[in-house]
Amino acid sequence: MSQLTITLPDGSTQNVASGATPLEIARSISERLAEIALVAVVNGKLTDLTEPLNEDASIRILTPNDEEALEVYRHSTAHLLAAAVLELYPETKLGIGPPIENGFYYDFDRPQPFTPEDLEKIEARMAEIQARNVPFVRTLALKEEALQRYQKQGDWMKCELVEDRGGERVSEYTLGPGFSDFCRGPHLPNTSHIKAFKLLSIAGAYWKGDEKNKVLQRIYGTAFFKPKELRAHLERLEEAKRRDHRKLGKELDLFSIQEAAGPGLIFFHPKGGTVRLLLENWMRDQYLARGYSLVYTPHVARSGLWKTSGHYDFYGENMFKRMELDDAEYQLKPMNCPFHILIYKDRQHSYRELPVRLGELGTVYRYERSGTMHGLLRVRGFTQDDAHIFCTPQQAEQEVVSCLEFAMDTLKAFGFTQYKAELSTWDGGKSGKYDGTPEQWEIAESALRNAVARVGLEAKVMEDEAAFYGPKIDMKLVDAIGRLWQLSTVQFDFTLARRFELEYIGEDGRAHQPLMVHRALFGSVERFFGILVEHYAGAFPLWLAPVQVTILPITDRQIGYSHGLSERLKKLGIRVTVDDRNEKVNFKIREAQVQKIPYMLVVGDREEEAGNVSVRHRRRGDLGVQSFDDFVASIQPLIAAHDTAD
RNA sequence: GCCGGCGUAGCUCAGCUGGUAGAGCAUCUGAUUUGUAAUCAGAGGGUCGGGGGUUCGAAUCCCUUCGCCGGCUCCA
């Protein structure tokens, strides 16, 4: 029998007989390691511990201390879920069950829907199987043989999977006598290693993610190496629910969605309106400071305009229905681009005046399908901080750099430090699905690439993910429970420039087509607002807080003094309220805390006599007595600096 | 749009297998004049999302419609 040389992570080597398994190697290192080993990495590839080795290899044994093993762990837990479901409901057909971020799911086909009670039963059965200490066993079968078997059992999804993915021989994993699943693996050695899992929800999901296909029942769950980690994760989910912008939006009286008006249409209440005004003012100031011109355009236009832009034919499904007026049919705008283009086209432009940057907080309306709306994050009417830049090819890179800097400054200004950037490129023209010339794509993509490098942004390149009209960079933020939402975007648009025959007169005296960059940084004011609420958990920084200071008189003797202070603060532009209700100060403080008002000024006889205020901060608590002037002097710089620390 | 769940007072929710609606908070009134997270008492308030049906009788059952939630799909 031949000898293999095995290299371990510390660089040491070991000679073993061909056919030895990673588990045996683990045991040779220590019995303890073999006990807790979950899976091996053999020559960089995750492999079952029981898979015999037949060539020289460098191997690492992964244990619950290795994050990398978590995917395998969750994948095995998904199999455990499927095994439990089959024991309880043998008529069920299996789909797929992969690990995902923070957990796993498994898709099932079954005539009756699963109920929440079923979920409990299934979870209990999973625990039973887990306790039986059942091994995950890999077997290989001929493709034909496996197909026949699945056909006979009516496992139609497995048949399709084997057809799609299986090689000559297909690998399957059994878990006990009654469970076998077509699966590439790897898996844990046995169920005893699965220590902490929980089933979370049931949802519908299309087979292979295609809405033309059958809807399956998906069970979501999560699993961690340790019960403590599982508890921490479930707690995070609870915390996320507490900071959900829809919940906080109601509690803090920021906004509402009115059934009488329709879904996906947002009503900003006075407090939300204050925050929104501040966001918009901040952005408009930035526009002006960064060389943009502000424009205003209508909300509707003749359908002819949308035909020219192409939206009528290609985006019609997503537009509000046409309305007839005396002379023509009109449609609500789903985008601002054609309007800005009309302004650009209203006169001739020389290369000398480019770039032209037209910006607007433009409200657009899109018909989103009924099941897709989500609070402020996905709506039917929203306001984009939208701008279009018309520039020469030579200017493109610098313009993109400026946009990216603007975008990063924007996110930073609101305290966002974590976001993902994606650079979406075309397919080189292979499919013919992209508009624009290869030269245009080259100029635009290299402008984006160079710009990303120049501003030091980490952008993941997404090949063949561009919009059909041009390449783009998107920046995405996570909401309270980790869902990603696109905010900032910088996109080239070759199509509209061509359709509207945009021109500028170049140095050579001839007409040229400008490059057009479409960009939005908040993305939508509504979405940004929603993410912001979750980011701050409703406790807006001082400069953004709808109410910055509330004055709490202890008895009604101080009501006059309180209103006097209030007037002085108002004159300084500070948003202030006086809680002059006939309530105890404890009660007033509690309400102010719940409303997350940054500063509470408690005033009683002592304060009034000395012209002082007793300052309480929503997070730091009682800050003691200060003169009114000192208090003002302490908060004014924070407001002016748009300080985001709390 | 699709699958599943849900819709009861301003808010959060209770109301078992059908017998004709309840709590806490909020609101209003009165008392209390209070020192850093809920003072006490009383009162008012609901076509049980809308429409239709079954039944002697429906918040409870059925149909339909609107909306919300979790996902899927979609997201120029």
Side-chain angles (χ1 to χ4, degrees), chain A residues 4-294:
Chain A
L4 304 178
T5 305
I6 300 301
T7 311
L8 296 168
D10 62 3
S12 66
T13 59
Q14 225 187 63
N15 288 318
V16 299
S18 179
T21 67
L23 187 60
E24 288 161 13
I25 293 164
R27 187 160 288 124
S28 77
I29 296 168
S30 89
E31 195 59 40
R32 171 76 184 145
L33 179 63
E35 258 171 49
I36 64 170
L38 298 176
V39 65
V41 180
V42 177
N43 290 331
K45 197 169 157 252
L46 283 165
T47 308
D48 287 329
L49 287 170
T50 50
E51 184 72 13
L53 297 164
N54 47 32
E55 57 180 2
D56 291 350
S58 66
I59 87 169
R60 284 160 54 213
I61 306 293
L62 301 186
T63 71
N65 295 318
D66 298 292
E67 277 299 304
E68 294 166 83
L70 195 52
E71 273 196 19
V72 172
Y73 182 87
R74 287 173 173 160
H75 188 189
S76 293
T77 312
H79 273 229
L80 177 60
L81 161 62
V85 167
L86 280 193
E87 280 194 15
L88 289 166
Y89 314 100
E91 75 285 6
T92 308
K93 302 304 171 204
L94 302 181
I96 59 168
I100 53 174
E101 191 172 6
N102 291 325
F104 60 88
Y105 67 78
Y106 211 107
D107 283 343
F108 302 99
D109 179 25
R110 176 168 176 259
Q112 301 87 356
F114 288 117
T115 65
E117 296 77 62
D118 291 339
L119 224 52
E120 284 175 31
K121 273 189 230 159
I122 295 166
E123 202 175 280
R125 183 60 67 101
M126 285 172 73
E128 275 178 51
I129 299 174
Q130 188 276 335
R132 286 180 219 150
N133 190 10
V134 187
F136 289 89
V137 180
R138 183 170 199 248
T139 58
L140 284 172
L142 288 171
K143 181 174 182 175
E144 284 310 311
E145 186 269 320
L147 269 180
Q148 275 177 19
R149 183 154 35 83
Y150 286 132
Q151 251 157 24
K152 212 168 120 195
Q153 294 165 353
D155 268 313
W156 60 278
M157 289 180 287
K158 290 294 168 195
C159 286
E160 281 190 39
L161 288 174
V162 171
E163 292 279 10
D164 292 351
R165 303 185 190 175
E168 252 174 65
R169 284 150 74 79
V170 300
S171 91
E172 293 169 290
Y173 281 81
T174 63
L175 188 58
F179 182 84
S180 169
D181 193 3
F182 168 63
C183 178
R184 189 174 44 188
H187 281 281
L188 306 180
N190 60 61
T191 57
S192 74
H193 294 88
I194 301 176
K195 309 279 194 196
F197 58 87
K198 173 135 188 80
L199 299 183
L200 297 174
S201 61
I202 311 159
Y206 299 106
W207 169 235
K208 291 182 180 169
D210 187 333
E211 66 180 321
K212 289 185 203 74
N213 289 340
K214 188 164 185 181
V215 178
L216 308 173
Q217 294 184 65
R218 175 171 297 178
I219 296 181
Y220 282 95
T222 189
F224 288 86
F225 292 132
K226 296 179 190 136
K228 205 170 130 188
E229 293 168 343
L230 174 63
R231 275 198 302 278
H233 181 250
L234 296 177
E235 225 152 84
R236 275 196 297 280
L237 291 181
E238 288 303 312
E239 167 61 20
K241 272 188 208 158
R242 281 193 288 275
R243 58 166 68 200
D244 188 311
H245 74 280
R246 292 166 299 186
K247 183 172 151 66
L248 287 168
K250 180 171 281 198
E251 288 171 4
L252 305 179
D253 197 17
L254 299 172
F255 70 92
S256 63
I257 297 168
Q258 300 288 334
E259 188 169 343
L265 302 170
I266 308 302
F267 290 74
F268 280 85
H269 295 197
K271 286 180 183 161
T274 299
V275 178
R276 176 174 175 158
L277 179 72
L278 292 161
L279 292 178
E280 292 188 348
N281 285 347
W282 183 92
M283 187 55 90
R284 286 201 187 92
D285 289 346
Q286 290 290 320
Y287 272 29
L288 296 176
R290 293 172 190 257
Y292 287 74
S293 310
L294 286 175

Side-chain angles (χ1 to χ4, degrees), chain A residues 428-492:
Chain A
K430 274 174 255 157
S431 64
K433 66 183 172 182
Y434 291 103
D435 203 352
T437 65
E439 294 73 37
Q440 286 177 319
W441 281 89
E442 171 53 31
I443 291 167
E445 288 191 357
S446 70
L448 292 173
R449 273 205 191 84
N450 295 341
V452 163
R454 277 173 59 186
V455 302
L457 188 66
E458 295 250 341
K460 190 172 170 197
V461 176
M462 311 287 281
E463 268 177 56
D464 200 12
E465 287 289 325
F468 80 85
Y469 51 77
K472 59 176 182 171
I473 292 172
D474 294 327
M475 285 153 93
K476 300 181 177 186
L477 265 69
V478 290
D479 72 3
I481 62 168
R483 286 180 290 218
L484 279 176
W485 295 92
Q486 183 188 308
L487 298 177
S488 308
T489 184
V490 179
Q491 334 186 323
F492 280 90

Side-chain angles (χ1 to χ4, degrees), chain A residues 292 340 344 355-358 387-391 395 399-400 402-403 490-491 514-519:
Chain A
Y292 287 74
H340 293 178
Y344 178 86
V356 168
R357 308 185 191 96
L358 302 179
H388 294 87
I389 299 169
F390 306 91
C391 66
Q395 292 167 334
E399 285 306 303
V400 176
S402 302
C403 287
V490 179
Q491 334 186 323
L515 281 171
M516 178 173 150
V517 178
H518 165 111
R519 37 107 295 161

Side-chain angles (χ1 to χ4, degrees), chain A residues 381-397:
Chain A
F382 60 98
T383 302
Q384 295 180 304
D385 60 314
D386 208 359
H388 294 87
I389 299 169
F390 306 91
C391 66
T392 66
Q394 294 74 34
Q395 292 167 334
E397 183 178 316

